């Protein structure tokens, strides 16, 4: 329950805000940003949160967490929307809905900025002059379209670079069977090669009819001029594209091009579903799930859509939706896409007819995905409850962390800690620790050093409900002793492998608890142990690779490649150097007293 004096203070501050566009930022008691919003009239919008009026459950929960807020004025609502998107990406507030980082989405990149363009898969969208299509709902979807594009337009599928590699090798089998125009042979000019990319770009935009018309004209021209081989190639391209199109779900007339958007809302979760219709067929679809605490009002959805469309190369002329946006919200979306994406988009909200039926179909799809998400969440919760019962824990371990040790020589010992939240890997919580004080291959000491450093950052990253160690009774015993000394009250169990390298038993240091009969628990523990091992080993291998070309001593201030080599030549091993006194280190030719102090300070941390 929020203190009435705090609420009064917030209400007074909100009432003093101007009636101008801007962005507001809500903070909790710890000073963390929990919500970012925008408005064309800040005073009206922000004061609503603190007024004595009825609010939906999610908004009421957010307001109860607010202890202060800040604001930024802008000249226009579109500027406010742009700033809001940037701040949401920066702070990832608890109650905002947001797209994942663009780097995680698959795109198709057409390198029209190069002499000989290519169609390639990428997860990074850069300002490099290339054309980007997507993001797509999955990598397999993007790769399938790339393969079809390469076959249909006879584009190179090799790794040769043009014009550098022209004439350096014989054309491959794809050229011989007519699936590559073979720029490597030098028989096609740069202009001829580039000319086919107007059709490639049209195809990737979803303009199938436009591409078919172009290819048909080329086929007829070739046929009329007795260029039968060229005509046959055009015919085959048309057939390839028709085959792809026939695999898509046909919804409406062949000239239809629009996005159909619908939203399913519930107290448990919400799902925004989008069907991308091109030439009357569903070319792709997205389903964005928002968990229970996220505020999913119309203003949030508009911001989300604006952010999504700002990442796309091509927008449809029409967006069809059954979401009850008001005229102002629709105008904001249209203005934003026009100013930011240079696209003139019309928004339709059908009340009857075919488009209304299509919206209902997308709404059903959204509801289905939401129900599936809830069912999966219930399964995840069930397995955590079973794990808690098996281990006799006081709370269900919604947050688990697991640690493993890997090494490559005494000076490259690495600890990896992974985070698991609600039975899902939380990669933002992964941590790596390179040993500073443990100078031998001692798993017990290494694990204790890493966990002590992890615990020292508990104020920044909350400790989990359960620690799982990749080890047995000995590991658990030393870690429990460490936790007791540090006053840490977190359950610790070891994951014990059998002769088949499978974890069928957990240990508390004294007793073994079998998990073999609980298949869901067994699979969860198995995945955790595999992931922590994979993460730790891969991190160690990266360090090993780096070590082959660079000494770890170069991390020390004032120590470069030459001094590192001199030190290793003198002391023979890193362990011997760690044990040396400051005077002994300073006695090495070429190493100053200040260098010796830096070295000792580095190893004494």
């Amino acid at each position: 329950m929020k203190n009435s004096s705090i609420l009064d203070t917030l209400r007074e501050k909100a009432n003093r805000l101007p009636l101008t566009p801007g962005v507001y930022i809500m903070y909790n008691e710890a000073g963390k940003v929990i919500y970012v919003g925008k408005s064309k009239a800040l005073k009206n919008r922000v004061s609503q949160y603190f007024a004595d009026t009825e609010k939906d459950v999610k908004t009421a929960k957010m307001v109860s967490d607010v202890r202060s807020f800040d604001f930024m004025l802008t000249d226009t609502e579109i500027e406010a929307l742009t700033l809001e998107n940037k701040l949401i990406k920066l702070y990832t507030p608890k109650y905002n809905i947001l797209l994942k980082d663009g780097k995680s989405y698959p795109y198709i990149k057409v390198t029209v900025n190069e002499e000989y363009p290519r169609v390639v898969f990428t997860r990074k969208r850069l300002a490099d002059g290339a054309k980007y299509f997507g993001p797509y709902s999955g990598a397999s979807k993007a790769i399938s379209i790339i393969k079809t594009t390469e076959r249909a337009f006879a584009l190179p599928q090799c790794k040769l670079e043009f014009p550098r590699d022209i004439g350096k090798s014989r054309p491959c089998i794809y050229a011989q069977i007519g699936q590559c125009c073979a720029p490597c042979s030098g028989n096609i000019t740069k202009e001829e090669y580039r000319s086919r990319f107007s059709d490639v770009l049209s195809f990737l935009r979803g303009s199938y009819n436009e591409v078919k018309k172009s290819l048909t004209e080329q086929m007829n021209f070739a046929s009329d001029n007795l260029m039968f081989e060229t005509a046959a190639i055009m015919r085959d391209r048309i057939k390839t594209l028709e085959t792809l199109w026939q695999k898509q779900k046909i919804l409406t007339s062949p000239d239809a091009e629009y996005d159909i958007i619908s939203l399913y809302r519930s107290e448990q979760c919400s799902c925004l579903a989008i069907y991308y219709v091109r030439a009357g067929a569903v070319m792709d679809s997205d389903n964005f799930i928002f968990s229970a605490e996220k505020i999913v009002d119309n203003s949030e959805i508009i911001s989300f859509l604006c952010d999504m469309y700002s990442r796309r190369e091509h927008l449809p002329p029409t967006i069809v939706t059954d979401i009850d946006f008001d005229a102002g919200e629709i105008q904001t979306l249209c203005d934003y896409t026009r100013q930011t994406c240079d696209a003139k988009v019309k928004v339709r909200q059908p009340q009857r007819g075919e488009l209304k039926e299509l919206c209902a179909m997308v709404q059903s799809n959204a509801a289905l995905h939401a129900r599936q998400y809830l069912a999966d969440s219930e399964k995840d919760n069930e397995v955590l409850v079973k794990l808690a019962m098996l281990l006799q824990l006081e709370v269900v371990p919604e947050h688990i962390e697991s640690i493993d040790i890997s090494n490559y020589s005494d000076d490259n010992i690495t600890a990896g800690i992974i985070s698991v939240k609600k039975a899902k890997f939380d990669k933002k919580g992964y941590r790596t620790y390179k040993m500073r004080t443990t100078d031998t291959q001692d798993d017990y000491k290494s694990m204790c050093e890493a966990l002590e450093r992890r615990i020292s950052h508990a104020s920044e990253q909350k400790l989990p409900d359960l620690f799982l160690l990749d080890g047995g009774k000995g590991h658990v015993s030393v870690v429990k002793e460490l936790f007791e000394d540090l006053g840490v009250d977190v359950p610790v169990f070891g994951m014990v492998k059998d002769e088949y390298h499978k974890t069928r038993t957990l240990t508390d240091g004294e007793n073994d608890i079998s998990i073999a009969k609980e298949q869901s628990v067994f699979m969860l523990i198995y995945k955790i142990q595999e992931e922590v091992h994979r993460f730790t080993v891969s991190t160690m291998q990266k360090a090993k690779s780096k070590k082959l070309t660079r000494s770890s001593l170069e991390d020390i201030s004032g120590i470069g490649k030459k001094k590192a080599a001199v030190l290793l030549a003198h002391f023979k091993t890193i362990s011997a150097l760690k044990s040396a006194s400051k005077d002994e280190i300073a006695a090495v030719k070429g190493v100053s007293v200040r260098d010796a102090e830096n070295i000792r300070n580095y190893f004494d941390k």
Side-chain angles (χ1 to χ4, degrees):
M1 188 74 177
K2 189 191 293 288
N3 186 294
S4 60
S5 63
I6 296 175
L7 188 61
D8 290 341
T9 300
L10 293 172
R11 185 184 297 120
E12 289 174 10
K13 182 177 178 180
N15 288 332
R16 292 196 301 270
L17 290 174
L19 287 166
T20 55
V23 171
Y24 53 93
I25 307 165
M26 304 291 195
Y27 300 89
N28 65 7
E29 192 169 16
K32 185 176 181 179
V33 175
I34 59 173
Y35 187 70
V36 175
K38 57 97 178 62
S39 176
K40 60 182 177 182
L42 274 176
K43 177 180 178 180
N44 292 346
R45 179 64 172 170
V46 179
S47 60
Q48 287 176 358
Y49 290 111
F50 310 116
D52 293 326
T53 56
E54 188 174 346
K55 302 174 182 66
D56 64 73
V57 175
K58 297 175 184 179
T59 302
K61 179 64 174 66
M62 185 275 289
V63 172
S64 71
D65 287 345
V66 176
R67 291 298 178 270
S68 64
F69 70 86
D70 203 349
F71 63 94
M72 299 180 187
L73 301 180
T74 59
D75 292 331
T76 67
E77 187 179 6
I78 301 304
E79 287 181 9
L81 181 56
T82 302
L83 178 58
E84 177 196 36
N85 283 333
K86 289 180 180 178
L87 293 175
I88 289 173
K89 291 185 183 74
L90 176 64
Y91 293 116
T92 60
K94 176 181 178 180
Y95 292 102
N96 282 102
I97 61 174
L98 70 159
L99 279 170
K100 292 185 293 182
D101 192 321
K103 290 184 290 186
S104 65
Y105 282 104
Y107 290 88
I108 293 176
K109 177 180 180 179
V110 184
T111 59
V112 293
N113 51 324
E114 298 176 355
E115 281 190 81
Y116 286 78
R118 301 294 283 262
V119 181
V120 297
F121 175 92
T122 184
R123 289 186 182 273
K124 292 184 178 180
R125 183 171 177 171
L126 307 173
D128 55 2
K131 294 287 187 180
Y132 290 83
F133 296 89
Y136 292 91
S137 56
S140 59
K141 183 72 176 181
I143 292 170
S144 173
I145 293 174
I146 289 172
K147 295 299 182 185
T148 300
T149 304
E150 289 173 338
R151 289 197 306 271
F153 298 100
L155 302 179
Q157 301 176 43
C158 60
K159 295 184 178 180
L160 296 179
E161 292 184 23
F162 309 114
R164 186 195 69 184
D165 295 327
I166 292 177
K168 291 186 178 180
S169 60
R170 295 177 60 187
C172 65
I173 185 66
Y174 290 106
Q176 296 172 24
I177 62 177
Q179 288 190 12
C180 179
C181 61
C184 59
S185 67
N187 294 329
I188 179 173
T189 67
K190 179 176 70 174
E191 290 72 26
E192 290 172 331
Y193 179 83
R194 292 183 66 89
S195 66
R196 64 188 60 207
F197 275 82
S198 61
D199 284 339
V200 169
L201 296 175
S202 293
F203 170 66
L204 293 174
R205 282 195 295 266
S207 304
Y208 168 67
N209 293 327
E210 182 181 325
V211 177
K212 183 177 180 180
K213 180 181 178 183
S214 173
L215 294 177
T216 301
E217 289 174 353
Q218 294 177 56
M219 180 182 69
N220 292 337
F221 176 84
S223 179
D224 292 343
N225 288 275
L226 307 182
M227 300 161 63
F228 299 118
E229 186 174 338
T230 301
I233 291 173
M234 296 301 158
R235 178 202 62 203
D236 291 343
R237 288 184 190 174
I238 294 170
K239 285 183 178 179
T240 300
L241 295 177
E242 283 179 341
T243 300
L244 173 69
W245 225 257
Q246 287 168 2
K247 291 180 181 179
Q248 313 308 317
K249 183 174 182 179
I250 306 299
L251 290 185
T252 184
S253 59
D255 59 344
E257 180 181 354
Y258 39 69
D259 291 352
I260 307 175
I261 303 175
S262 191
L263 175 67
Y264 172 82
R265 286 189 179 103
S266 78
E267 290 299 328
Q268 292 79 29
C269 74
S270 300
C271 178
L272 183 72
I274 307 177
Y275 275 26
Y276 305 102
V277 178
R278 304 294 183 265
V282 179
M283 291 303 298
D284 200 4
S285 63
D286 271 314
N287 293 279
F288 302 100
I289 297 288
F290 309 124
S291 55
E293 74 273 9
K294 302 296 183 182
I295 295 176
V296 191
D297 58 22
N298 285 3
S299 177
E300 279 285 314
I301 294 297
I302 289 293
S303 296
F304 183 90
L305 292 175
C306 288
D307 186 24
M308 184 192 76
Y309 282 123
S310 70
R311 302 171 187 233
R312 296 185 175 272
E313 183 74 31
H314 176 71
L315 274 65
T318 305
I319 294 172
V320 179
T321 182
D322 60 357
I323 302 174
D324 58 343
F325 296 127
D326 61 33
E329 291 163 342
I330 290 175
Q331 191 61 50
T332 297
L333 179 59
C334 293
D335 290 345
Y336 184 88
T337 52
R338 184 180 68 254
Q339 295 180 28
T340 305
C341 313
D342 194 27
K344 189 176 181 180
V345 176
K346 179 182 179 182
V347 178
R348 296 185 61 181
Q349 296 170 293
Q351 301 303 311
R352 62 184 67 83
E354 181 186 48
L355 291 181
K356 180 66 175 176
E357 293 174 2
L358 292 177
C359 286
M361 180 187 70
V362 178
Q363 164 77 202
S364 297
N365 182 74
L368 179 64
H369 277 80
R371 286 194 291 271
Q372 185 61 53
Y373 169 80
L374 291 174
D376 292 342
S377 297
E378 287 178 8
K379 288 181 182 178
D380 293 338
N381 189 60
E382 286 175 9
V383 69
L384 293 176
V385 170
K386 288 179 180 178
L387 178 61
M389 292 174 67
L390 278 172
L391 303 183
Q392 297 182 7
L393 303 177
E394 294 181 4
V395 297
V396 176
E398 293 190 346
H399 182 192
I400 300 171
E401 289 188 8
S402 181
I403 181 172
D404 190 14
I405 305 295
S406 187
N407 60 71
Y408 172 73
S409 78
D410 287 348
D411 63 329
N412 201 16
I413 305 170
T414 303
I417 296 181
I418 68 166
S419 173
V420 184
K421 291 186 176 179
K422 295 185 178 180
K424 298 286 192 302
F425 293 119
D426 168 41
K427 297 201 173 182
K428 288 183 180 179
Y430 283 25
R431 295 289 182 271
T432 301
Y433 298 93
K434 188 174 180 181
M435 295 303 101
R436 293 174 180 167
T437 60
T438 306
D439 55 6
T440 59
Q441 297 180 30
D442 187 325
D443 274 11
Y444 294 167
K445 289 183 179 179
S446 299
M447 196 166 280
C448 285
E449 179 184 335
L451 286 171
E452 187 170 1
R453 287 161 62 185
R454 163 68 182 94
I455 290 164
S456 70
H457 293 93
S459 59
E460 304 163 20
Q461 187 184 19
K462 187 178 177 182
L463 293 180
D465 303 313
L466 170 67
F467 271 114
L468 293 177
L469 315 179
D470 188 24
K473 294 182 179 180
H475 293 82
V476 175
S477 296
V478 297
V479 170
K480 277 190 170 182
E481 186 177 338
L482 171 70
F483 281 14
E484 187 174 344
D485 291 342
L486 296 175
V488 174
D489 185 20
V490 178
V492 180
F493 288 84
M495 299 179 288
V496 184
K497 293 177 180 175
D498 61 16
E499 63 270 25
Y500 302 105
H501 207 66
K502 297 288 181 70
T503 302
R504 300 183 183 278
T505 302
L506 296 177
T507 179
D508 62 3
E510 297 178 2
N511 306 300
D512 289 341
I513 303 104
S514 174
I515 59 172
K517 292 182 180 180
E518 285 288 356
Q519 182 64 19
S520 60
V521 174
F522 168 76
M523 287 306 300
L524 174 64
I525 300 300
Y526 172 77
K527 289 177 181 177
I528 289 174
Q529 188 160 42
E530 289 293 306
E531 176 65 2
V532 72
H533 182 69
R534 178 206 65 78
F535 174 67
T536 308
V537 170
S538 65
T539 303
M540 182 274 297
Q541 287 175 339
K542 288 177 184 176
K544 172 185 172 182
S545 176
K546 187 177 180 182
K547 184 69 180 174
L548 295 175
T549 58
R550 184 180 186 277
S551 170
S552 60
L553 296 178
E554 293 176 52
D555 292 333
I556 303 172
S557 175
I559 305 300
K561 190 169 291 187
K562 289 184 179 179
K563 286 184 181 179
V566 168
L567 287 162
L568 285 173
H570 181 86
F571 290 101
K572 308 303 183 186
T573 67
I574 294 290
S575 296
L577 176 59
K578 287 180 179 179
S579 301
S581 67
K582 183 177 72 174
D583 291 340
E584 288 173 330
I585 297 171
V588 177
K589 187 177 179 180
V591 178
S592 68
V593 173
R594 185 172 183 178
D595 290 334
E597 289 175 350
N598 289 338
I599 292 169
R600 278 271 42 97
N601 289 337
Y602 178 81
F603 288 127
D604 291 340
K605 287 180 181 177

